[in-house]
Amino acid sequence: MNVPTVGVLALQGAFREHLNIFDSLGVNTRGVRTSADLAGLDALAIPGGESTTMSRLAADLGVLEPVADVVRSGLPTLGTCAGMIMLADEVIDGRSDQQSFGGLQIAVRRNAFGRQSESFEAQVSMPVLGEPAFPGVFIRAPWVEQASESVEVWGQVERPEGSRIVAVRQGPVVATAFHPELADDDRVHRKFLSLI
Ligand code: GLN
């Protein structure tokens, strides 16, 4: 196949870091700000940031429906942290006016890990990536509270409050509650590209 083109939603948040990692993996990359930027993409990434802001900007710039459409039509899509929230069919503790693209049959709890651990690093057990565990950077991260049967659990983290699901895959859609774009480890991005 020709070199694939990966779009990264570039409204706000850590989109540059995703572009840098995809660049380093040898694919073509494009920042996505308008619906025209979605044309011809082989995959899409939605970065971490702030889902309420991303939702508002996506609505203002007219990309809410177009992105929802490409995800629903099967474009391989990676969402990280706020990106996971934007892909979730259900958001618990969201702001009443925030909207998601949806497409991933999970319920996520926003800002789930609570005050003491708003930001932390933890090893995420991800058998699909092999050993070692993935160094997860969590910043006011969500967790997956419910997932439909067609969702594969790809990663879990052990916290004082118990084991939490923090990485999932449903068909061509992958989402992590942590920020692989901020880790010194490109295995999540490489695994995602292998789904294209
Ligand atoms: N708490 C943020 C939100 O609700 C997500 C944080 C992040 O992406 N680091 O969107």
Side-chain angles (χ1 to χ4, degrees):
M1 159 166 158
N2 294 334
V3 177
T5 299
V6 181
V8 179
L9 190 67
L11 305 181
Q12 65 96 223
F15 57 87
R16 287 181 199 83
E17 289 81 352
H18 274 294
L19 288 166
N20 289 342
I21 295 187
F22 284 121
D23 281 338
S24 77
L25 293 173
V27 297
N28 296 323
T29 55
R30 181 194 303 161
V32 172
R33 293 180 189 80
T34 67
S35 59
D37 295 331
L38 292 166
L41 291 182
D42 298 296
L44 176 67
I46 302 171
E50 174 49 52
S51 58
T52 54
T53 309
M54 216 182 287
S55 157
R56 184 173 47 75
L57 290 171
D60 288 354
L61 295 168
V63 292
L64 206 48
E65 276 306 313
V67 171
D69 286 347
V70 294
V71 176
R72 245 179 268 126
S73 71
L75 186 72
T77 303
L78 170 67
T80 64
C81 200
M84 171 187 258
I85 297 170
M86 293 298 295
L87 289 172
D89 278 351
E90 187 186 340
V91 179
I92 303 165
D93 282 348
R95 226 173 53 189
S96 58
D97 61 345
Q98 92 179 78
Q99 291 173 277
S100 292
F101 303 124
L104 185 54
Q105 292 173 340
I106 57 172
V108 293
R109 183 173 293 280
R110 210 173 137 242
N111 301 334
F113 287 95
R115 275 187 164 240
Q116 296 88 327
S117 49
E118 279 186 345
S119 296
F120 59 95
E121 290 194 30
Q123 299 300 308
V124 181
S125 159
M126 292 190 73
V128 289
L129 301 181
E131 294 293 332
F134 194 87
V137 177
F138 293 81
I139 305 171
R140 289 172 58 79
W143 68 45
V144 177
E145 195 141 314
Q146 277 172 5
S148 89
E149 276 175 11
S150 53
V151 173
E152 291 172 19
V153 173
W154 266 18
Q156 286 181 277
V157 69
E158 300 301 326
R159 297 300 292 166
E161 59 272 23
S163 174
R164 298 296 177 186
I165 298 171
V166 291
V168 293
R169 173 233 174 136
Q170 183 179 21
V173 179
V174 175
T176 67
F178 53 91
H179 289 262
E181 73 276 25
L182 301 182
D184 196 15
D185 188 323
D186 60 13
R187 283 179 295 159
V188 168
H189 290 80
R190 278 194 277 136
K191 184 75 187 171
F192 171 64
L193 290 179
S194 77
L195 301 179
I196 296 178

